[in-house]
Amino acid sequence: MGQSLKRPRAGIIGTGGIAHAHAEALKLAGAELVVAVDIDLGRAAAFAGKTGFAGTAPSLAAAAEAGLDLVAVCTPPSSHAPLALEALALGLNVVLEKPPALSLRQLQELQEAERTTGKRVSCIFQHRFGTGAGKLAELQKSGALGNPLTGFCNTLWFRNQEYFDVPWRGQWDIEGGGPTMGHGIHQFDLLLHLWGPWQEVTAFAGRLARRTETEDVSTAIVRFESGALSTVINSVISPRETSQLRFDYEHATVELEHLYGYDGSHWSFTPAPGQEHLADLWADGRADAPSGHPAQYQRIIEAVSSGTVPPVTLADAYPTMELAAAMYASAITGKTVRRGEITEGNPFFDRADGRLEPWKLETSHA
């Protein structure tokens, strides 16, 4: 075990927009902000000056010489897995912004690298860590709510054409997919965290309104091993932006509506007739902590400090990434896909589009 009071030394690679959320969360969690890495040293220096990192470096290898304990990878998605592999080989723990990899193959390669190096990867799925999600998980586990039955999981966001005109966006090779992989994944990760494991999925997807290689909307029906059924929508073409999850149990309905993060005010609890006493279990008076990077980083830094396993592990993230892959596989092939079906030899094991060139640009309505 490591020293329980050790203050982890942190680096960050990639100093674009999402890196600021990681920097603030690392600071709040008590990490020592040591080095910011970017191929553009001027941008790295500006970022370091704004966020409080002590220095900069042009590469991950150079940053590792500063004696880091962990590094947060905040670069475009295609570099997540390669940089994580490099960091593990350098003896660093890794925090990966979503998606943690572009394929199930890459996830398995990362798991093997963890076993080889003894270091750990934590995947950012921050909606698992708000008080509301924790409370629902506890009530569900207690059996008070009865069996999960049906619900929905909607990520209805809006991104204009200029958003997709950034060179690396909307490309299978770089982003790995559209809103299924890059936007809705946070919401359906929370769905799976609470209701998993999933069993099978039937999905549809298309490019309806944006010039982009990938889909701009997908819809799916997911069956869970429990028998519960949920619909899932992942969209970046919805003018009224919202993120909605609904969980119908035998004895209560629990709903969450927010946009990019929630607190207690975004949840509602409706007991079934005759189950009104359950409302007191939900309104238990505990202090409310919102979801977000700070909530997850608090747990990550505690784990790194004490030498325990930080959340969310690659194994924890695998079902979420597997569902994303299965949604694409179902939408592109027109078939229902079962969990465990996408393995070595399946075209969707290596790429979300299976190299089957869906939704050719000339068919776009844009």
Side-chain angles (χ1 to χ4, degrees), residues 248-336:
D248 284 336
Y249 299 86
E250 290 180 283
H251 304 318
T253 292
V254 184
E255 296 170 273
L256 168 62
E257 182 165 6
H258 65 111
L259 187 51
Y260 301 135
Y262 64 79
D263 60 28
S265 69
H266 295 110
W267 292 83
S268 66
F269 185 91
T270 306
Q275 301 291 332
E276 287 78 11
H277 64 283
L278 294 177
D280 293 333
L281 297 180
W282 180 260
D284 61 2
R286 74 180 70 183
D288 179 58
S291 69
H293 287 73
Q296 183 167 355
Y297 262 109
Q298 189 66 47
R299 297 273 302 278
I300 292 171
I301 296 305
E302 288 172 359
V304 172
S305 297
S306 61
T308 56
V309 178
V312 174
T313 67
L314 292 167
D316 293 334
Y318 199 92
T320 299
M321 288 293 293
E322 188 179 17
L323 180 59
M327 286 182 188
Y328 284 116
S330 178
I332 293 168
T333 66
K335 299 177 181 178
T336 296

Side-chain angles (χ1 to χ4, degrees), residues 23-85:
E24 180 63 21
L26 280 163
K27 186 184 302 181
L28 290 171
E32 183 179 351
L33 307 184
V34 178
V35 61
V37 182
D38 201 291
I39 56 174
D40 183 338
L41 280 177
R43 186 165 72 168
F47 174 85
K50 184 175 181 180
T51 59
F53 277 83
T56 64
S59 68
L60 187 50
E65 295 177 1
L68 302 179
D69 296 298
L70 78 159
V71 62
V73 177
C74 301
T75 52
S78 62
S79 60
H80 287 182
L83 286 170
L85 288 171

Side-chain angles (χ1 to χ4, degrees), residues 10 51 77 79-80 98 137 160 223 228-229 271 281 290 349:
T51 59
S79 60
H80 287 182
K98 58 81 186 167
N160 60 20
R223 187 192 305 275
L229 294 166
L281 297 180
F349 184 67

Side-chain angles (χ1 to χ4, degrees), residues 223-234:
R223 187 192 305 275
F224 293 85
E225 283 191 358
S226 67
L229 294 166
S230 179
T231 58
V232 178
I233 300 176
N234 308 293

